[in-house]
Amino acid sequence: MVLLGDLNYRIAMDDAEARLLVRAGKWSMLLENDELLLELAEGGSFDGWREGLVTFSPTYKYHLNSDMFYWSIDAAAGGGDKQQQRAPAWSVRRPYIFSDLSTPCMN
């Protein structure tokens, strides 16, 4: 079984630190703090589920009709709405779980 969706898990670290790591391309350090991977490791909501290797950069929300990320504008300088600033995240995920296909499904 595969679950596809925008699961809205974020990177559990200070936004400024996360931004520096994104700019430096330090995906492994960001993934160590990825909320979904932490949840999978703890066996919480997705007990038994797995995810393939994440080999791409985190995703961001862009300002309409621009190439500027919400987190790339300094709200203190008047360039953005502090409420709209968002940390980077791997929001579109594909966790999966294997099941015993020999077990009949319940109706």
Side-chain angles (χ1 to χ4, degrees):
M1 179 185 315
V2 176
L3 174 66
L4 304 174
D6 185 348
L7 302 179
N8 212 24
Y9 283 93
R10 299 284 174 204
I11 297 169
M13 64 181 356
D14 176 73
D15 283 351
E17 183 180 2
R19 292 176 204 158
L20 288 174
L21 293 172
V22 167
R23 286 186 182 111
K26 305 280 186 179
W27 309 146
S28 62
M29 294 178 75
L30 292 163
L31 285 165
E32 290 173 6
N33 295 283
D34 177 72
E35 292 174 343
L36 178 59
L37 292 180
L38 294 171
E39 182 79 18
L40 291 171
E42 293 171 3
S45 300
F46 295 102
D47 189 25
W49 289 72
R50 304 281 183 261
E51 183 178 36
L53 291 177
V54 176
T55 59
F56 55 93
S57 65
T59 57
Y60 315 89
K61 183 171 181 174
Y62 284 89
H63 285 277
L64 189 60
N65 298 320
S66 83
D67 61 354
M68 297 292 292
F69 305 126
Y70 270 103
W71 63 266
S72 66
I73 293 180
D74 182 8
D81 179 359
K82 183 109 175 127
Q83 296 294 337
Q84 288 295 319
Q85 290 188 341
R86 297 178 183 203
W90 285 277
S91 59
V92 177
R93 308 301 284 268
R94 293 172 183 89
Y96 62 88
I97 189 167
F98 290 108
S99 63
D100 182 358
L101 297 177
S102 65
T103 305
C105 295
M106 303 287 283
N107 289 334

